């Protein structure tokens, strides 16, 4: 069997500033190149249930979240993401509630002004 190799970029943004480094993925003759295989060969994970990458959305390719068995191609940038510090849903909900509070306060002020 002939071994093939793919040239990838590995971007590790889990701690501090993102670090971009070239990485060569070695593939056996009949093996399909996947994101999981690249993570194993890079020494980042030992398998799909690795606690380092257990969190959903902890890795992707070119900014798009990928699954463990997603295909990877030559020239792709494999990215490792840090956990979110703030939940976007919570922020949006809080902002929407602030807007609602402002509407209620404006309506109450109008009612109060009519009474005077």
């Amino acid at each position: 069997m002939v071994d093939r190799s793919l040239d990838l970029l590995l971007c590790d943004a889990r701690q501090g500033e993102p670090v971009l480094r070239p990485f060569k993925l070695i593939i056996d003759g009949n093996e399909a190149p996947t994101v999981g295989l690249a993570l194993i060969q890079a020494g980042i994970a030992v398998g799909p249930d690795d606690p380092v990458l257990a969190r959903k959305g902890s890795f992707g390719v070119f900014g798009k979240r990928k699954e463990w068995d997603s295909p990877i191609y030559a020239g792709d940038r494999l990215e490792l993401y840090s956990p979110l510090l703030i939940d976007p849903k919570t922020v949006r909900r809080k902002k929407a509630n602030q807007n609602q509070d402002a509407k209620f306060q404006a309506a109450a002020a109008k009612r109060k002004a009519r009474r005077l």
Side-chain angles (χ1 to χ4, degrees):
M1 293 283 176
V2 176
D3 288 346
R4 298 181 297 155
S5 67
L6 296 178
D7 291 325
L8 307 172
L9 286 173
L10 184 63
C11 180
D12 192 351
R14 292 179 291 176
Q15 297 173 348
E17 289 293 315
V19 177
L20 193 64
R21 65 180 170 102
F23 175 70
K24 190 173 287 280
L25 177 65
I26 309 294
I27 308 160
D28 291 339
N30 58 355
E31 197 171 30
T34 62
V35 171
L37 180 64
L39 291 172
I40 289 173
Q41 284 191 17
I44 296 166
V46 293
D49 298 328
D50 195 325
V52 173
L53 301 173
R55 158 179 71 77
K56 186 175 182 177
S58 61
F59 54 88
V61 175
F62 287 122
K64 302 284 186 183
R65 188 177 66 80
K66 297 292 181 180
E67 299 296 326
W68 182 263
D69 55 353
S70 298
I72 196 164
Y73 304 99
D76 281 356
R77 183 180 65 226
L78 179 59
E79 302 167 342
L80 304 169
Y81 308 125
S82 62
L84 294 175
L85 300 176
I86 300 170
D87 184 21
K89 286 184 182 179
T90 305
V91 172
R92 288 187 71 186
R93 191 174 296 121
K94 186 175 180 180
K95 187 174 182 180
N97 289 339
Q98 285 176 347
N99 291 341
Q100 286 291 79
D101 290 344
K103 285 182 189 177
F104 291 143
Q105 288 173 0
K110 279 184 182 178
R111 284 194 302 272
K112 188 175 182 180
R114 277 190 260 156
R115 287 186 209 151
L116 296 176

